[in-house]
Amino acid sequence: DAGITQSPRYKITETGRQVTLMCHQTWSHSYMFWYRQDLGHGLRLIYYSAAADITDKGEVPDGYVVSRSKTENFPLTLESATRSQTSVYFCASSEAGRLNYGYTFGSGTRLTVV
Amino acid sequence: SQQGEEDPQALSIQEGENATMNCSYKTSINNLQWYRQNSGRGLVHLILIRSNEREKHSGRLRVTLDTSKKSSSLLITASRAADTASYFCATDALTGTYKYIFGTGTRLKVLA
């Protein structure tokens, strides 16, 4: 979706390696989110952020680290990748006070851990 | 655990028919949203319904909400092949933090 970009689109990494998924939005939305999508589980919230320097855990935060030093960027780091972290990762953003517009999602990063 | 669960998991209908998907959730909410996901793409927001609303329309979409039963339904009327996608409900569970939890989705296939 225009305005929120994720990179890379595809990534293959080895078990134990650190990998960072990038998310950048151009609207200055306050809220940003990371979800992972797996068959049979739908989307599960990993971490979210209400503003720069404010982050909080979601449903499945273990093994992940986030930071938000700038409003427009919300990178997700897998500190030591495991096969169970093979998934499609989606970043989303939302603006407080514009709830009727819902979240805007990026196109996703398909991560394979071998 | 998932806050929302969609039913059915998969649905196949003919073009022109109506498609109904249901979502049940566990805890009280402020708002419920529906999203569509085309294969290999990100999710797209369809509609939001607030806990004090019972029904909402947007084009061919009709959403209902029954807070006493903790359930919502999404009706797509006069379906088209382009409606083929997965549909997800998302609820905020009274967190007040704009944090939404998604269900597992309904895969809709509209046959031409």
Side-chain angles (χ1 to χ4, degrees), chain B residues 52-68:
Chain B
N52 61 355
E53 298 175 312
R54 292 295 168 258
E55 188 170 311
K56 205 162 181 180
H57 296 253
S58 177
R60 294 184 295 113
L61 305 180
R62 173 180 166 241
V63 169
T64 61
L65 179 64
D66 187 335
T67 53
S68 66

Side-chain angles (χ1 to χ4, degrees), chain A residues 3-4 21 28 30 36 40-41 45-48 53 60-61 65 69 79-80 83 86 98 101-103 106 110:
Chain A
I4 184 164
L21 311 183
S28 298
S30 302
R36 60 177 290 175
H41 290 280
L45 181 63
I46 305 171
Y47 269 96
Y48 66 103
D53 297 322
V60 289
V65 173
S69 57
E79 295 181 293
S80 178
R83 288 196 179 89
T86 292
R98 291 170 64 83
Y101 293 88
Y103 289 3
R110 185 175 294 274

Side-chain angles (χ1 to χ4, degrees), chain B:
Chain B
S1 61
Q2 297 293 142
Q3 162 71 329
E5 296 288 338
E6 286 88 343
D7 171 65
Q9 289 187 343
L11 179 61
S12 186
I13 60 173
Q14 295 291 326
E15 205 167 27
E17 294 180 338
N18 295 341
T20 299
M21 288 156 270
N22 303 296
C23 169
S24 59
Y25 55 92
K26 298 173 185 174
T27 61
S28 297
I29 61 171
N30 289 314
N31 306 292
L32 183 145
Q33 303 187 54
W34 284 91
Y35 286 80
R36 182 188 74 233
Q37 184 182 32
N38 291 92
S39 180
R41 308 291 296 274
L43 281 75
V44 174
H45 179 251
L46 294 176
I47 196 166
L48 176 147
I49 187 165
R50 300 181 189 278
S51 59
N52 61 355
E53 298 175 312
R54 292 295 168 258
E55 188 170 311
K56 205 162 181 180
H57 296 253
S58 177
R60 294 184 295 113
L61 305 180
R62 173 180 166 241
V63 169
T64 61
L65 179 64
D66 187 335
T67 53
S68 66
K69 295 181 179 178
K70 291 187 171 59
S71 68
S72 174
S73 67
L74 170 67
L75 169 68
I76 303 174
T77 60
S79 63
R80 306 165 182 168
D83 295 326
T84 294
S86 291
Y87 292 83
F88 295 86
C89 68
T91 53
D92 63 356
L94 286 181
T95 59
T97 59
Y98 290 80
K99 180 179 76 172
Y100 280 77
I101 303 298
F102 285 76
T104 52
T106 292
R107 294 189 311 279
L108 173 66
K109 187 169 186 178
V110 180
L111 304 169

Side-chain angles (χ1 to χ4, degrees), chain A residues 12-26:
Chain A
I12 299 174
T13 192
E14 294 178 340
T15 301
R17 288 196 181 266
Q18 183 181 83
V19 61
T20 297
L21 311 183
M22 304 301 294
C23 179
H24 175 78
Q25 52 111 348
T26 58

Side-chain angles (χ1 to χ4, degrees), chain A:
Chain A
D1 284 50
I4 184 164
T5 55
Q6 291 184 237
S7 61
R9 281 300 307 273
Y10 303 92
K11 175 75 176 178
I12 299 174
T13 192
E14 294 178 340
T15 301
R17 288 196 181 266
Q18 183 181 83
V19 61
T20 297
L21 311 183
M22 304 301 294
C23 179
H24 175 78
Q25 52 111 348
T26 58
W27 295 299
S28 298
H29 282 172
S30 302
Y31 288 87
M32 296 189 75
F33 309 84
W34 274 106
Y35 288 88
R36 60 177 290 175
Q37 185 174 32
D38 306 285
L39 269 175
H41 290 280
L43 279 85
R44 291 181 289 176
L45 181 63
I46 305 171
Y47 269 96
Y48 66 103
S49 169
D53 297 322
I54 301 175
T55 63
D56 206 350
K57 296 178 180 179
E59 302 169 272
V60 289
D62 292 343
Y64 302 95
V65 173
V66 293
S67 62
R68 196 163 175 212
S69 57
K70 294 183 178 181
T71 299
E72 61 267 29
N73 296 324
F74 191 38
L76 175 73
T77 297
L78 287 67
E79 295 181 293
S80 178
T82 66
R83 288 196 179 89
S84 65
Q85 292 177 310
T86 292
S87 186
V88 181
Y89 291 85
F90 287 100
C91 177
S93 69
S94 179
E95 180 54 39
R98 291 170 64 83
L99 193 56
N100 277 330
Y101 293 88
Y103 289 3
T104 301
F105 279 83
S107 299
T109 294
R110 185 175 294 274
L111 176 68
T112 302
V113 183
V114 298

